[in-house]
Amino acid sequence: MRITVLSSRLAAIAALALATVMAGTPANAADDVVKSDNIRLEAHLGLPAGAAINSDLAFQGDYAYVGNFNGFSIYNIRNPRSPQLVSSVSCPGGQMDVTILGDILVTSVDSSRNNDSCQSTPQSATVKESWEGVRIFDVSDKTNPRYVKSVETNCGSHTHTLVPARGRDAKKFFYVYVSSYSPAANFPDCQPPHDKISVVKVPIANPAAASLVGTPVVFPDGGNETQPGLLLPTSGCHDITVYAEKDIAAGACMGDGVIFDIRDRERPRIKARTTDPNFAFWHSATFNNDGNKVVFTDELGGGTAPMCTAAQGPNLGADAIYEIRGHRLVFKSYYKISRLQTDQENCVAHNGSLLPVKGRDIMVQAWYQGGLSVWDFTDSSRPKEIAFYDQGPVDPTQLVLGGYWSTYYYNGYIYGSEIARGFDVLKVDDRRTNPANRVKQSLLNAQTQSRYPERGW
């Protein structure tokens, strides 16, 4: 989702956000849920006091980190059926996407502020002194996280990706790829054509020394700017997913889908690139475990509109499955949930992650108020749904911003960051997915993929 793109969209999203706050307790009851028989809700916690608009998730050990537009929250998930809120940090600045490594939590701010502090207030990007970028926290004390560093980046940080360094350097430092876009001539720190990412280097032993080390232009000849139906012309990337072991990354870059060669971490370069006439906004990407396929999502409508209706059909606001063949991305098929949603439900493809099942390509994915879907794309041309969970609209009388921003699989459970309702834990019980329960992870940043240990039947 993009909160600071165009004035008309900003006004619309602001209105939806206000409606979310004014709606208070969701109008739907628990029995408004439509779901498959093989999935159940194990736990639900509402938004913590002061939180607004839940965003992305990250996991490490027994803890889940949940961003929101007013800061972030930390949950103890040692018992997934009874998660406990440990702390909730107030530090406004959307979207507050999060990644975690050791005691270092990195967060994204794509909301122009009057300074970099947690007491900052909104200030126009036309003012040179305004700030946007990444904030870094020390979370060694989960009950009292400590803000240690900010790094300003061009056009802010809409999303970011934690990128391990190569070889032995991975114990010394990591990189952060900062995705941002939508430059304007009157934005001193966000000048057109942009077409680049920002690279931040973070020393693990001293995160306070984090610094910007490069702003490589990834579209030196410009991106896709002329395709009819684009939400916005390419001026950067919305999201980047890295597969560090294979030295590749997949970029969802507004009007373009790309594969990067990241052997030189500070200078990623495009090795494969494609466009799609049915895609309005390349939003995010997920590799399969072998790294020879990638699922791209199209965020038609920017995440704030009802795009799962009969009027949109099965190929708009959907996933696109591509096989990676050398320097080519080969399209195989689309996947979209088949359950039609109402005009009061923002719905489109959004964030998900893999389930580690041997020999299968299975992922769980969020669809905002379309709920979540667990689906199999082992046959790239014939994806199939395995399970789904879909609550009714936050408000059946009007379109209110809500639904799952992200749904990720971690150590036997699916965790959902629900924009308006809070934090959910779900369990899928199916012979096709149950082998994944035997795979234990100690870390999950969904946009930093590594090869899963797989468990078969």
Side-chain angles (χ1 to χ4, degrees):
M1 186 182 294
R2 172 68 171 172
I3 298 296
T4 55
V5 176
L6 302 171
S7 58
S8 59
R9 291 197 64 229
L10 178 59
I13 294 170
L16 281 175
L18 177 61
T20 302
V21 174
M22 296 300 292
T25 303
N28 66 298
D31 58 4
D32 289 328
V33 171
V34 177
K35 70 179 191 66
S36 57
D37 292 338
N38 56 357
I39 194 169
R40 63 183 180 272
L41 180 68
E42 296 281 6
H44 168 76
L45 293 176
L47 286 175
I53 309 181
N54 264 355
S55 57
D56 213 359
L57 293 156
F59 303 85
Q60 185 171 246
D62 292 332
Y63 295 93
Y65 300 82
V66 185
N68 73 79
F69 279 52
N70 279 346
F72 64 90
S73 301
I74 303 176
Y75 294 89
N76 186 320
I77 55 170
R78 185 172 184 177
N79 179 358
R81 295 177 179 176
S82 182
Q84 303 296 316
L85 177 66
V86 177
S87 61
S88 188
V89 173
S90 175
C91 198
Q95 300 180 145
M96 287 298 284
D97 284 6
V98 293
T99 57
I100 181 72
L101 183 67
D103 293 328
I104 304 171
L105 184 77
V106 183
T107 68
S108 279
V109 179
D110 192 23
S111 166
S112 188
R113 317 293 296 179
N114 67 334
N115 60 57
D116 66 351
S117 75
C118 287
Q119 292 75 45
S120 65
T121 57
Q123 179 171 281
S124 172
T126 61
V127 178
K128 172 63 179 173
E129 291 74 22
S130 294
W131 180 89
E132 297 177 271
V134 295
R135 294 173 175 146
I136 299 172
F137 293 81
D138 180 332
V139 294
S140 53
D141 181 351
K142 305 291 188 293
T143 65
N144 187 29
R146 182 171 59 90
Y147 184 16
V148 297
K149 178 70 173 181
S150 72
V151 180
E152 187 172 13
T153 56
N154 292 145
C155 301
S157 174
H158 190 65
T159 66
H160 72 269
T161 305
L162 192 153
V163 187
R166 300 187 78 195
R168 295 180 179 178
D169 285 340
K171 294 182 179 181
K172 301 175 183 177
F173 58 85
F174 61 86
Y175 292 101
V176 176
Y177 286 174
V178 175
S179 296
S180 58
Y181 53 94
S182 288
N186 62 338
F187 292 172
D189 297 323
C190 185
Q191 289 287 296
H194 195 55
D195 286 335
K196 60 188 175 183
I197 65 172
S198 296
V199 181
V200 175
K201 187 176 181 179
V202 183
I204 294 173
N206 183 20
S211 63
L212 183 70
V213 295
T215 54
V217 175
V218 294
F219 294 101
D221 300 319
N224 182 9
E225 299 177 353
T226 60
Q227 177 181 311
L230 286 180
L231 181 67
L232 291 167
T234 300
S235 60
C237 292
H238 177 277
D239 215 329
I240 296 172
T241 296
V242 300
Y243 201 141
E245 295 157 55
K246 294 181 177 291
D247 290 326
I248 58 174
C253 300
M254 305 179 71
D256 296 82
V258 304
I259 300 296
F260 291 106
D261 179 331
I262 61 167
R263 284 176 291 182
D264 184 340
R265 295 289 198 260
E266 296 185 17
R267 298 171 183 82
R269 60 180 182 83
I270 292 175
K271 62 179 288 187
R273 178 177 169 185
T274 191
T275 59
D276 188 317
N278 285 322
F279 263 42
F281 191 80
W282 295 71
H283 174 274
S284 54
T286 302
F287 288 104
N288 69 337
N289 201 33
D290 289 333
N292 57 15
K293 298 179 188 177
V294 62
V295 174
F296 287 105
T297 67
D298 174 24
E299 196 183 39
L300 176 67
T304 64
M307 294 300 175
C308 299
T309 64
Q312 304 304 323
N315 297 336
L316 301 178
D319 297 318
I321 304 164
Y322 283 83
E323 294 183 353
I324 304 169
R325 300 180 185 172
H327 291 268
R328 293 189 302 138
L329 282 163
V330 179
F331 172 77
K332 300 303 293 185
S333 66
Y334 295 113
Y335 172 76
K336 188 175 182 179
I337 57 172
S338 59
R339 291 164 299 286
L340 297 181
Q341 305 295 307
T342 69
D343 289 337
Q344 286 71 49
E345 295 172 286
N346 56 303
C347 177
V348 74
H350 215 235
N351 296 340
S353 72
L354 296 180
L355 276 69
V357 178
K358 186 176 182 179
R360 312 297 297 179
D361 298 328
I362 300 174
M363 69 178 291
V364 58
Q365 186 171 10
W367 291 83
Y368 288 113
Q369 289 197 69
L372 69 83
S373 177
V374 180
W375 59 288
D376 186 323
F377 61 101
T378 308
D379 184 339
S380 304
S381 300
R382 296 177 178 82
K384 298 178 180 178
E385 187 168 69
I386 293 173
F388 66 90
Y389 185 90
D390 182 6
Q391 291 180 274
V394 172
D395 188 329
T397 66
Q398 62 178 325
L399 177 58
V400 170
L401 190 66
Y404 286 125
W405 183 290
S406 303
T407 54
Y408 297 144
Y409 179 91
Y410 183 70
N411 290 344
Y413 292 83
I414 293 169
Y415 295 85
S417 173
E418 219 287 358
I419 291 170
R421 295 175 171 112
F423 181 64
D424 286 353
V425 185
L426 302 101
K427 180 75 172 178
V428 61
D429 183 6
D430 189 281
R431 64 175 184 81
R432 293 164 288 185
T433 62
N434 286 346
N437 295 337
R438 302 199 299 272
V439 177
K440 298 303 178 185
Q441 300 167 254
S442 59
L443 178 69
L444 178 65
N445 296 301
Q447 286 76 43
T448 308
Q449 289 189 229
S450 58
R451 185 167 182 83
Y452 284 122
E454 297 176 311
R455 294 293 182 269
W457 311 105

